[in-house]
Amino acid sequence: MKRVYLDNNATTMTSLEAAKEMVRFNSINYGNPSSLHNFGLDTRPELRKAMDRIYALINAADEDDVLITSGATEANNHVIKSVFYANTDTSTPLSVRKNHYITTNLEHPTVYNTFQYLEKLGAKVTVLPSDNNGLISAEQVKKALTDQTVLVSIMLANNEIGTILPIKEITKLCHANGILIHTDATQAIGKFPVDVQDLGVDYLSFSAHKFHGPKGIGGLYVRKGKRLEPLFHGGEQMASLRAGTLNVPGIVGMGVAAQEAVASLEYEATEVKRLRDKLENFILKNIPDTFLNGDKVKRTPNTLNIAFKDCEGEALLWDLNEHGIAASTGSACASEELESSRILRALGIDKALSHMAVRFSLSRYTTEEEIDYVISVLPGIIKRLREVSLGR
Ligand SMILES: *Cc1c(COP(=O)(O)O)cnc(C)c1O
């Protein structure tokens, strides 16, 4: 049976080059870089090479920090809780402590749920509502600012619908008001150029397994001079900001993936987008009662979220899977529950239709033949499911 993987926003295949390098650092160069013997010392130049590649991926300056984490979940939790801790620290004078945070209803659960938790600890949080296209404007942020606002956290690109938010403009606004800005760039890296100097953000999160690196490794960019509290206390790794033995195979694997991601950006913008558009145009033109979710233009080149009226999303996924095609109804974490997507509801899509949406997410490994195969089987699947659901 064919196997077509169109769920790259949930995770990607680790590139062969990245996987090969990781084997070497698990089995031959397995030393702990903190050790003072050659097993440890030998890993240090390799780590430096990998870090250089990771810095280049986001154009970080030498003086900036990139904290290696277990992924974007940790990076998002780390930065948001760090700012909260710094502002509740009893050694910080009461007069300079602030307690208001701004985020959006489009955020990944790792940001959204972290703020919900902090609210229980006393933080004041404004959750900006998305418009019907899945966009947030700088104007909305401006209206929500108060003299108590300390941090704005807004994603660069959305995982379910792919919309790209105006972070550069929002950053200018924040900085004009002395407010910190964090962006979750997990769905942007490898899909379009991400440049921390151009964006100007103070903190930025990313995760290797979303750009053909290994799982369980990612990072938090911290602009020079910006405060960060440790989340894990312990050893002195990562300047005592993140205790724990360095995941050397993971860092090296992420370094290779970072280099390949930069080299593939042009291909993403042209070929991956062409294949995504081919699938999108076919569905919208040839399958009646189908609706694109999210902005058609301000969107990552690989993502397609479509509602098929009178066709239950979970049933469609099942049938696609029977044909060897992997897609998703939303974020991988949410699809285990039968709740409809919070993101689609944020777009104002009615509840019934939000249950009929499917996300196809491509990668640089997606082939034209695979897209043609999907195009050849999809109309039949939809027709049959609609006959069942409409009782015809
Ligand atoms: C996948 C994802 C995360 C979580 O990343 P992990 O590395 O799997 O913890 C966070 N934010 C967004 C937007 C994501 O797509």
Side-chain angles (χ1 to χ4, degrees):
M1 190 174 73
K2 276 206 186 323
R3 286 175 87 226
V4 178
Y5 187 74
L6 296 180
D7 199 12
N8 288 282
N9 285 9
T11 196
T12 60
M13 180 180 88
T14 304
S15 88
L16 193 62
E17 285 307 312
K20 273 201 283 195
E21 276 293 86
M22 291 176 71
V23 171
R24 184 155 72 92
F25 286 88
N26 275 314
S27 57
I28 303 165
N29 299 21
Y30 54 80
N32 184 333
S34 302
S35 302
L36 294 177
H37 46 64
N38 285 351
F39 286 79
L41 295 175
D42 286 350
T43 64
R44 293 190 189 180
E46 304 278 355
L47 267 178
R48 196 158 313 124
K49 187 167 86 184
M51 289 305 292
D52 285 345
R53 289 169 168 174
I54 294 161
Y55 270 65
L57 173 70
I58 55 173
N59 194 29
D62 289 345
E63 308 78 42
D64 298 336
D65 267 326
V66 175
L67 198 73
I68 299 300
T69 66
S70 62
T73 299
E74 184 188 324
N76 289 338
N77 270 270
H78 194 152
V79 61
I80 295 165
K81 288 175 182 170
S82 159
V83 174
F84 179 78
Y85 294 156
N87 280 274
T88 47
D89 184 341
T90 50
S91 65
T92 307
L94 206 56
S95 59
V96 300
R97 286 191 230 160
K98 292 178 177 180
N99 194 29
H100 177 241
Y101 299 80
I102 297 174
T103 187
T104 79
N105 63 1
L106 292 174
E107 301 306 310
H108 190 270
T110 55
V111 168
Y112 192 83
N113 294 348
T114 300
F115 278 118
Q116 287 208 320
Y117 170 66
L118 292 188
E119 261 186 325
K120 290 198 263 179
L121 301 187
K124 300 271 182 290
V125 181
T126 300
V127 180
L128 298 174
S130 141
D131 71 8
N132 293 341
N133 282 356
L135 295 171
I136 299 280
S137 69
E139 193 56 34
Q140 282 177 280
V141 178
K142 190 172 181 180
K143 285 192 184 134
L145 296 180
T146 74
D147 59 2
Q148 281 299 304
T149 310
V150 53
L151 175 74
V152 172
S153 176
I154 299 182
M155 68 198 329
L156 184 51
N158 181 271
N159 43 306
E160 290 193 35
I161 51 177
T163 46
I164 300 172
L165 304 182
I167 297 303
K168 186 173 172 176
E169 215 184 324
I170 292 169
T171 298
K172 282 200 186 119
L173 185 69
C174 290
H175 286 171
N177 291 279
I179 294 162
L180 296 167
I181 167 100
H182 162 248
T183 192
D184 177 357
T186 309
Q187 289 290 340
I189 301 270
K191 293 172 184 154
F192 59 90
V194 174
D195 179 335
V196 290
Q197 308 311 335
D198 181 56
L199 289 172
V201 290
D202 300 308
Y203 308 99
L204 176 144
S205 308
F206 56 93
S207 177
H209 77 98
K210 302 289 173 75
F211 60 91
H212 304 289
K215 293 169 181 57
I217 190 95
L220 175 65
Y221 162 83
V222 182
R223 183 171 294 281
K224 179 189 176 212
K226 299 297 168 178
R227 184 168 172 183
L228 195 74
E229 299 294 312
L231 195 58
F232 305 159
H233 296 81
E236 288 174 3
Q237 295 90 351
M238 293 274 151
S240 296
L241 287 173
R242 207 273 187 183
T245 302
L246 294 185
N247 176 353
V248 180
I251 297 170
V252 169
M254 177 156 70
V256 175
Q259 197 182 34
E260 291 177 339
V262 172
S264 307
L265 284 173
E266 182 61 30
Y267 186 86
E268 290 279 334
T270 54
E271 243 343 70
V272 176
K273 180 174 185 300
R274 186 181 70 78
L275 292 179
R276 190 275 311 271
D277 289 348
K278 182 175 184 176
L279 180 60
E280 173 175 326
N281 291 334
F282 174 84
I283 294 172
L284 293 176
K285 283 204 183 91
N286 297 286
I287 304 180
D289 291 327
T290 49
F291 309 93
L292 177 70
N293 295 319
D295 197 84
K296 192 170 168 62
V297 179
K298 291 174 185 153
R299 183 167 47 131
T300 46
N302 77 317
T303 304
L304 173 59
N305 190 308
I306 284 211
F308 297 85
K309 191 167 175 288
D310 300 323
C311 194
E312 215 271 311
E314 304 283 331
L316 176 50
L317 280 194
W318 178 269
D319 275 20
L320 285 168
N321 191 45
E322 291 289 294
H323 287 81
I325 301 164
S328 164
T329 50
S331 73
C333 336
S335 56
E336 281 160 29
E337 313 149 23
L338 278 173
E339 264 284 286
S340 77
S341 154
R342 168 170 57 79
I343 304 304
L344 296 182
R345 279 182 278 130
L347 268 57
I349 295 167
D350 80 53
K351 199 164 176 189
L353 198 60
S354 72
H355 276 289
M356 299 166 184
V358 166
R359 177 188 71 189
F360 300 97
S361 47
L362 287 68
S363 83
R364 64 175 190 258
Y365 295 103
T366 306
T367 64
E368 181 126 34
E369 193 208 339
E370 290 174 336
I371 294 300
D372 288 343
Y373 170 67
V374 176
I375 284 174
S376 74
V377 299
L378 192 58
I381 295 176
I382 301 291
K383 186 164 175 286
R384 203 186 58 77
L385 286 173
R386 281 178 174 167
E387 280 167 4
V388 173
S389 89
L390 298 172
R392 283 199 224 112

